[in-house]
Amino acid sequence: MEIRPKFGIGPLLFGMKQKDVQAVLGKPDKQFEDDDQNIIYVYNAPKLRLTFYEDEGFRMGYIISSHPDLVLYQQFVIGKTADEIKKLLQTKQYKNWEIEEFDLAENHFNEDHWLILQTEYNEIVKVELGVVAKNADDFDWKF
């Protein structure tokens, strides 16, 4: 499954509505609302968690995955170190990274591409990506 920062993951594009996602993936294995009334879809087999933002007309704006076949610029991601992937991403203009540590996990965050590489035991275990802002008022929707 290809990670496409600023666009989405695999065939999923930021800005899709729930019906659009279901046309691609079928009904989710689980669905719930978070504390902000966003709708969350969970798909077990592809290990996807998708967030549809309530304040954006329930457009999909956030994706979390831990699928072992995640690929970013032709490189598998899960199980690699953050440094390995960040070295690759330097060649793609991913310059600034913020690192947040909590317990045994670290989040390596690149705001320009709204990409988080989450590590445990020095290995990437999860990737999070979100829609980027086009300007102060609008997101850069791709669908």
Side-chain angles (χ1 to χ4, degrees):
M1 195 167 8
E2 183 183 359
I3 300 166
R4 297 181 303 143
K6 297 186 179 183
F7 286 86
I9 191 167
L12 304 177
L13 295 172
F14 291 122
M16 286 178 139
K17 301 268 188 151
Q18 295 163 61
K19 65 178 176 51
D20 303 313
V21 169
Q22 286 188 28
V24 174
L25 297 177
K27 290 194 178 260
D29 294 298
K30 184 176 182 180
Q31 175 181 334
F32 61 94
E33 279 187 16
D34 66 11
D35 294 338
D36 296 319
Q37 283 69 55
N38 299 317
I39 293 177
I40 311 298
Y41 275 13
V42 176
Y43 290 91
N44 293 334
K47 297 187 181 205
L48 286 170
R49 177 187 167 165
L50 311 175
T51 302
F52 299 87
Y53 293 139
E54 184 272 335
D55 59 354
E56 294 293 331
F58 293 104
R59 294 173 103 173
M60 185 188 64
Y62 205 77
I63 301 169
I64 300 172
S65 183
S66 59
H67 197 280
D69 292 338
L70 287 176
V71 174
L72 181 61
Y73 300 111
Q74 290 83 47
Q75 287 286 324
F76 286 102
V77 177
I78 301 298
K80 302 276 180 147
T81 68
D83 288 341
E84 286 176 281
I85 298 301
K86 285 163 53 175
K87 183 177 180 182
L88 163 73
L89 294 176
Q90 278 184 317
T91 67
K92 307 290 183 190
Q93 305 307 312
Y94 290 66
K95 303 263 184 232
N96 300 314
W97 292 89
E98 297 173 31
I99 299 173
E100 179 186 20
E101 295 182 38
F102 50 98
D103 295 327
L104 73 125
E106 289 182 350
N107 280 349
H108 298 257
F109 175 57
N110 178 276
E111 185 174 4
D112 293 335
H113 295 86
W114 210 266
L115 175 70
I116 296 173
L117 306 172
Q118 187 175 95
T119 64
E120 291 180 2
Y121 303 106
N122 202 36
E123 291 183 355
I124 297 171
V125 295
K126 186 186 313 180
V127 176
E128 302 184 24
L129 61 156
V131 62
V132 296
K134 182 171 24 177
N135 55 47
D137 298 321
D138 297 308
F139 287 112
D140 187 12
W141 300 112
K142 300 301 182 184
F143 187 86

